Amino acid sequence: MKPELIEVLRMRWQRLRIYRRPGTVLVDYRILRNFLRIEQIAGAAA
């Protein structure tokens, strides 16, 4: 993974953690996982 993408994921995770509630970690994980998939598909298409 590119360092830039790692930094983007880290910032997104921190933003999601601001809204922390019980049981939201799995939701946050799915959001980030889907974001990463989209980025990888976009990078492969470019």
Side-chain angles (χ1 to χ4, degrees), residues 13-32:
W13 181 261
Q14 285 180 343
R15 252 185 274 143
L16 288 169
R17 291 291 59 191
I18 289 171
Y19 306 109
R20 186 178 187 138
R21 291 188 181 145
T24 58
V25 173
L26 290 177
V27 174
D28 296 350
Y29 171 75
R30 278 186 279 156
I31 291 169
L32 292 175

Side-chain angles (χ1 to χ4, degrees), residues 4-6 11-15 20 33 38 46:
E4 299 86 19
L5 183 56
I6 292 170
M11 292 300 292
R12 282 179 173 249
W13 181 261
Q14 285 180 343
R15 252 185 274 143
R20 186 178 187 138
R33 185 185 64 197
I38 291 167

